[in-house]
mmCIF file of all heavy atoms in Angstrom:
data_model
loop_
_atom_site.group_PDB
_atom_site.id
_atom_site.type_symbol
_atom_site.label_atom_id
_atom_site.label_comp_id
_atom_site.label_asym_id
_atom_site.label_seq_id
_atom_site.Cartn_x
_atom_site.Cartn_y
_atom_site.Cartn_z
ATOM 1 N N LEU A 220 43.809 -6.946 -22.264
ATOM 2 C CA LEU A 220 42.339 -7.379 -21.894
ATOM 3 C C LEU A 220 42.422 -8.688 -21.145
ATOM 4 O O LEU A 220 43.101 -9.541 -21.540
ATOM 5 C CB LEU A 220 41.545 -7.388 -23.232
ATOM 6 C CG LEU A 220 41.032 -6.201 -23.748
ATOM 7 C CD1 LEU A 220 40.291 -6.421 -25.078
ATOM 8 C CD2 LEU A 220 40.069 -5.353 -22.931
ATOM 9 N N GLU A 221 41.577 -8.650 -20.084
ATOM 10 C CA GLU A 221 41.431 -9.927 -19.267
ATOM 11 C C GLU A 221 40.157 -10.669 -19.491
ATOM 12 O O GLU A 221 40.061 -11.968 -19.394
ATOM 13 C CB GLU A 221 41.634 -9.594 -17.818
ATOM 14 C CG GLU A 221 42.914 -8.925 -17.364
ATOM 15 C CD GLU A 221 42.978 -8.502 -15.930
ATOM 16 O OE1 GLU A 221 42.058 -8.768 -15.218
ATOM 17 O OE2 GLU A 221 44.063 -8.090 -15.484
ATOM 18 N N VAL A 222 39.059 -9.842 -19.924
ATOM 19 C CA VAL A 222 37.880 -10.563 -20.048
ATOM 20 C C VAL A 222 37.200 -9.933 -21.280
ATOM 21 O O VAL A 222 37.057 -8.690 -21.408
ATOM 22 C CB VAL A 222 36.825 -10.280 -18.828
ATOM 23 C CG1 VAL A 222 35.419 -10.948 -19.024
ATOM 24 C CG2 VAL A 222 37.391 -10.945 -17.534
ATOM 25 N N LEU A 236 43.084 -15.719 -30.403
ATOM 26 C CA LEU A 236 43.327 -14.850 -29.301
ATOM 27 C C LEU A 236 44.464 -15.243 -28.510
ATOM 28 O O LEU A 236 44.674 -14.698 -27.429
ATOM 29 C CB LEU A 236 41.990 -14.736 -28.423
ATOM 30 C CG LEU A 236 40.745 -14.463 -29.186
ATOM 31 C CD1 LEU A 236 39.656 -14.350 -28.092
ATOM 32 C CD2 LEU A 236 40.714 -13.094 -29.965
ATOM 33 N N ALA A 237 45.226 -16.264 -29.053
ATOM 34 C CA ALA A 237 46.350 -16.693 -28.224
ATOM 35 C C ALA A 237 47.523 -15.746 -27.858
ATOM 36 O O ALA A 237 48.169 -15.878 -26.883
ATOM 37 C CB ALA A 237 46.948 -17.906 -28.998
ATOM 38 N N LEU A 239 46.956 -12.736 -26.958
ATOM 39 C CA LEU A 239 46.503 -11.765 -25.822
ATOM 40 C C LEU A 239 47.038 -12.265 -24.622
ATOM 41 O O LEU A 239 46.320 -13.014 -23.899
ATOM 42 C CB LEU A 239 44.950 -11.586 -25.902
ATOM 43 C CG LEU A 239 44.369 -11.099 -27.247
ATOM 44 C CD1 LEU A 239 42.793 -10.934 -27.155
ATOM 45 C CD2 LEU A 239 44.945 -9.617 -27.600
ATOM 46 N N SER A 240 48.115 -11.732 -24.131
ATOM 47 C CA SER A 240 48.817 -12.294 -23.113
ATOM 48 C C SER A 240 48.072 -12.112 -21.739
ATOM 49 O O SER A 240 48.406 -12.798 -20.708
ATOM 50 C CB SER A 240 50.292 -11.688 -22.945
ATOM 51 O OG SER A 240 50.153 -10.244 -22.851
ATOM 52 N N GLY A 241 47.302 -11.177 -21.580
ATOM 53 C CA GLY A 241 46.550 -10.851 -20.391
ATOM 54 C C GLY A 241 45.250 -11.550 -20.289
ATOM 55 O O GLY A 241 44.604 -11.500 -19.195
ATOM 56 N N LEU A 242 44.713 -12.251 -21.316
ATOM 57 C CA LEU A 242 43.352 -12.719 -21.438
ATOM 58 C C LEU A 242 43.244 -13.864 -20.335
ATOM 59 O O LEU A 242 44.029 -14.818 -20.236
ATOM 60 C CB LEU A 242 43.140 -13.316 -22.761
ATOM 61 C CG LEU A 242 41.530 -13.559 -23.076
ATOM 62 C CD1 LEU A 242 40.774 -12.344 -22.985
ATOM 63 C CD2 LEU A 242 41.521 -14.195 -24.466
ATOM 64 N N LYS A 243 42.125 -13.808 -19.431
ATOM 65 C CA LYS A 243 41.712 -14.921 -18.618
ATOM 66 C C LYS A 243 40.448 -15.529 -18.939
ATOM 67 O O LYS A 243 40.210 -16.673 -18.534
ATOM 68 C CB LYS A 243 41.716 -14.279 -17.211
ATOM 69 C CG LYS A 243 42.960 -13.684 -16.722
ATOM 70 C CD LYS A 243 42.800 -12.994 -15.380
ATOM 71 C CE LYS A 243 44.241 -12.382 -14.822
ATOM 72 N NZ LYS A 243 44.041 -11.692 -13.547
ATOM 73 N N LEU A 244 39.534 -14.858 -19.611
ATOM 74 C CA LEU A 244 38.183 -15.303 -19.854
ATOM 75 C C LEU A 244 37.696 -14.756 -21.110
ATOM 76 O O LEU A 244 37.772 -13.585 -21.441
ATOM 77 C CB LEU A 244 37.243 -15.025 -18.774
ATOM 78 C CG LEU A 244 35.751 -15.290 -18.951
ATOM 79 C CD1 LEU A 244 35.541 -16.849 -19.039
ATOM 80 C CD2 LEU A 244 34.955 -14.683 -17.772
ATOM 81 N N VAL A 245 37.123 -15.670 -22.069
ATOM 82 C CA VAL A 245 36.398 -15.230 -23.189
ATOM 83 C C VAL A 245 35.057 -15.880 -23.302
ATOM 84 O O VAL A 245 35.029 -17.093 -23.253
ATOM 85 C CB VAL A 245 37.371 -15.432 -24.520
ATOM 86 C CG1 VAL A 245 37.791 -16.973 -24.610
ATOM 87 C CG2 VAL A 245 36.459 -14.963 -25.796
ATOM 88 N N PRO A 256 37.479 -19.786 -30.527
ATOM 89 C CA PRO A 256 38.702 -18.905 -30.641
ATOM 90 C C PRO A 256 40.007 -19.684 -29.966
ATOM 91 O O PRO A 256 39.729 -20.206 -28.829
ATOM 92 C CB PRO A 256 38.412 -17.648 -29.796
ATOM 93 C CG PRO A 256 37.243 -18.122 -28.890
ATOM 94 C CD PRO A 256 36.528 -19.088 -29.768
ATOM 95 N N LYS A 257 41.126 -19.674 -30.587
ATOM 96 C CA LYS A 257 42.244 -20.149 -29.998
ATOM 97 C C LYS A 257 42.695 -19.290 -28.845
ATOM 98 O O LYS A 257 42.584 -18.072 -29.022
ATOM 99 C CB LYS A 257 43.409 -20.410 -31.004
ATOM 100 C CG LYS A 257 43.094 -21.428 -32.063
ATOM 101 C CD LYS A 257 44.303 -21.498 -33.000
ATOM 102 C CE LYS A 257 44.137 -22.658 -33.975
ATOM 103 N NZ LYS A 257 45.258 -22.722 -34.932
ATOM 104 N N VAL A 258 43.054 -19.812 -27.720
ATOM 105 C CA VAL A 258 43.496 -18.957 -26.606
ATOM 106 C C VAL A 258 44.807 -19.660 -25.965
ATOM 107 O O VAL A 258 45.134 -20.692 -26.220
ATOM 108 C CB VAL A 258 42.376 -18.916 -25.595
ATOM 109 C CG1 VAL A 258 41.188 -18.227 -26.048
ATOM 110 C CG2 VAL A 258 42.066 -20.350 -24.987
ATOM 111 N N GLY A 259 45.517 -18.768 -25.161
ATOM 112 C CA GLY A 259 46.624 -19.254 -24.554
ATOM 113 C C GLY A 259 46.368 -20.241 -23.300
ATOM 114 O O GLY A 259 45.182 -20.455 -23.074
ATOM 115 N N LYS A 260 47.345 -20.786 -22.819
ATOM 116 C CA LYS A 260 47.254 -21.754 -21.766
ATOM 117 C C LYS A 260 46.633 -21.087 -20.488
ATOM 118 O O LYS A 260 47.021 -19.966 -20.010
ATOM 119 C CB LYS A 260 48.626 -22.370 -21.370
ATOM 120 C CG LYS A 260 48.661 -23.426 -20.338
ATOM 121 C CD LYS A 260 49.993 -23.925 -20.046
ATOM 122 C CE LYS A 260 49.971 -25.050 -19.137
ATOM 123 N NZ LYS A 260 51.293 -25.518 -18.807
ATOM 124 N N GLY A 261 45.644 -21.711 -19.947
ATOM 125 C CA GLY A 261 45.091 -21.298 -18.705
ATOM 126 C C GLY A 261 43.865 -20.294 -18.959
ATOM 127 O O GLY A 261 43.213 -19.809 -17.939
ATOM 128 N N VAL A 262 43.622 -19.955 -20.199
ATOM 129 C CA VAL A 262 42.523 -19.038 -20.458
ATOM 130 C C VAL A 262 41.191 -19.927 -20.469
ATOM 131 O O VAL A 262 41.074 -20.895 -21.185
ATOM 132 C CB VAL A 262 42.698 -18.329 -21.805
ATOM 133 C CG1 VAL A 262 41.517 -17.438 -22.118
ATOM 134 C CG2 VAL A 262 43.967 -17.505 -21.688
ATOM 135 N N ARG A 263 40.163 -19.348 -19.818
ATOM 136 C CA ARG A 263 38.890 -20.038 -19.874
ATOM 137 C C ARG A 263 38.028 -19.598 -21.008
ATOM 138 O O ARG A 263 37.922 -18.407 -21.268
ATOM 139 C CB ARG A 263 38.153 -19.844 -18.554
ATOM 140 C CG ARG A 263 36.864 -20.644 -18.383
ATOM 141 C CD ARG A 263 36.116 -20.241 -17.174
ATOM 142 N NE ARG A 263 34.828 -20.962 -17.014
ATOM 143 C CZ ARG A 263 33.807 -20.589 -16.390
ATOM 144 N NH1 ARG A 263 33.980 -19.492 -15.637
ATOM 145 N NH2 ARG A 263 32.637 -21.209 -16.407
ATOM 146 N N ARG A 264 37.408 -20.650 -21.790
ATOM 147 C CA ARG A 264 36.456 -20.267 -22.724
ATOM 148 C C ARG A 264 35.120 -20.710 -22.360
ATOM 149 O O ARG A 264 34.922 -21.806 -21.702
ATOM 150 C CB ARG A 264 36.839 -20.943 -24.051
ATOM 151 C CG ARG A 264 38.290 -20.521 -24.579
ATOM 152 C CD ARG A 264 38.625 -21.217 -25.859
ATOM 153 N NE ARG A 264 38.593 -22.619 -25.805
ATOM 154 C CZ ARG A 264 38.888 -23.419 -26.940
ATOM 155 N NH1 ARG A 264 39.228 -22.836 -28.045
ATOM 156 N NH2 ARG A 264 38.950 -24.692 -26.728
ATOM 157 N N VAL A 265 34.030 -19.851 -22.698
ATOM 158 C CA VAL A 265 32.689 -20.230 -22.452
ATOM 159 C C VAL A 265 31.952 -20.172 -23.751
ATOM 160 O O VAL A 265 31.805 -19.049 -24.295
ATOM 161 C CB VAL A 265 32.046 -19.352 -21.466
ATOM 162 C CG1 VAL A 265 30.528 -19.632 -21.251
ATOM 163 C CG2 VAL A 265 32.713 -19.389 -20.020
ATOM 164 N N ALA A 269 34.164 -25.330 -26.021
ATOM 165 C CA ALA A 269 35.021 -24.687 -25.072
ATOM 166 C C ALA A 269 35.882 -25.686 -24.332
ATOM 167 O O ALA A 269 37.015 -25.378 -23.917
ATOM 168 C CB ALA A 269 34.167 -23.899 -24.044
ATOM 169 N N GLU A 270 35.370 -26.888 -24.161
ATOM 170 C CA GLU A 270 36.211 -27.876 -23.513
ATOM 171 C C GLU A 270 37.333 -28.539 -24.307
ATOM 172 O O GLU A 270 38.156 -29.366 -23.783
ATOM 173 C CB GLU A 270 35.238 -28.917 -22.979
ATOM 174 C CG GLU A 270 34.283 -28.349 -21.986
ATOM 175 C CD GLU A 270 34.896 -27.648 -20.773
ATOM 176 O OE1 GLU A 270 35.962 -28.176 -20.275
ATOM 177 O OE2 GLU A 270 34.343 -26.568 -20.377
ATOM 178 N N GLU A 271 37.267 -28.313 -25.633
ATOM 179 C CA GLU A 271 38.240 -28.960 -26.550
ATOM 180 C C GLU A 271 39.481 -28.097 -26.606
ATOM 181 O O GLU A 271 39.350 -26.894 -26.929
ATOM 182 C CB GLU A 271 37.664 -29.089 -27.956
ATOM 183 C CG GLU A 271 36.445 -30.141 -27.832
ATOM 184 C CD GLU A 271 36.037 -30.352 -29.327
ATOM 185 O OE1 GLU A 271 36.901 -30.474 -30.189
ATOM 186 O OE2 GLU A 271 34.786 -30.441 -29.618
ATOM 187 N N THR A 272 40.668 -28.738 -26.364
ATOM 188 C CA THR A 272 41.921 -28.003 -26.411
ATOM 189 C C THR A 272 42.865 -29.016 -27.212
ATOM 190 O O THR A 272 43.035 -29.916 -26.724
ATOM 191 C CB THR A 272 42.493 -27.655 -25.053
ATOM 192 O OG1 THR A 272 41.481 -26.884 -24.339
ATOM 193 C CG2 THR A 272 43.717 -26.933 -25.170
ATOM 194 N N PRO A 273 43.542 -28.496 -28.306
ATOM 195 C CA PRO A 273 43.337 -27.124 -28.855
ATOM 196 C C PRO A 273 41.961 -26.990 -29.682
ATOM 197 O O PRO A 273 41.121 -27.893 -29.509
ATOM 198 C CB PRO A 273 44.524 -27.042 -29.899
ATOM 199 C CG PRO A 273 44.664 -28.429 -30.207
ATOM 200 C CD PRO A 273 44.341 -29.274 -28.937
#
Side-chain angles (χ1 to χ4, degrees):
L220 281 174
E221 296 179 359
V222 177
L236 307 180
L239 299 182
S240 56
L242 195 60
K243 297 178 181 178
L244 170 65
V245 55
K257 291 181 179 179
V258 294
K260 185 177 181 181
V262 178
R263 184 184 174 201
R264 298 186 299 185
V265 177
E270 300 304 318
E271 298 189 36
T272 305

